[in-house]
Amino acid sequence: MDVFDCYGIDTYPSHHIGAGAPYCMGSRIKGSNSMNWNSWSDFFAMGGYGFYVWGSYIASVICIVGEIWLILNRRRTLQKYLGLKNESTISEKKNETTS
């Protein structure tokens, strides 16, 4: 996904038949700056916004992993609870039939 520089783009009226934008969607605009990095350090720096970009990715991953961990923990706890409840009802039924 490229980010194009919007300077120098003219606006054209679109209320009549002959009007139309001279640029097609996705076409390169002369003099635009696309996101090309010369090295990995430029990629991770993200033009000076790397801390915010990568920080938001890290925060998102932490939240997603935490949510998955909480769901699994809740599932294990529920299985233990239902297993103990099931075992107690089975033992109660055995005690009822033997007495």
Side-chain angles (χ1 to χ4, degrees):
M1 183 175 190
D2 288 337
V3 176
F4 294 109
D5 189 12
C6 295
Y7 294 113
I9 295 177
D10 295 326
T11 57
Y12 294 94
S14 59
H15 61 277
H16 60 85
I17 297 172
Y23 307 110
C24 296
M25 186 74 165
S27 66
R28 308 243 336 133
I29 300 171
K30 190 175 185 177
S32 70
N33 296 328
S34 63
M35 291 190 134
N36 291 323
W37 295 284
N38 296 325
S39 65
W40 283 104
S41 63
D42 287 345
F43 174 72
F44 290 117
M46 290 282 178
Y49 296 102
F51 177 75
Y52 303 106
V53 172
W54 298 114
S56 62
Y57 274 112
I58 290 170
S60 299
V61 167
I62 288 171
C63 290
I64 291 169
V65 169
E67 186 68 27
I68 291 170
W69 181 77
L70 288 171
I71 289 170
L72 292 175
N73 191 23
R74 189 176 304 152
R75 183 174 184 245
R76 258 183 276 135
T77 304
L78 186 60
Q79 285 176 339
K80 282 183 184 178
Y81 173 73
L82 292 176
L84 292 174
K85 186 176 180 183
N86 190 19
E87 287 176 9
S88 67
T89 56
I90 290 172
S91 65
E92 288 174 3
K93 286 180 183 178
K94 285 182 182 178
N95 289 339
E96 289 177 2
T97 55
T98 57
S99 46

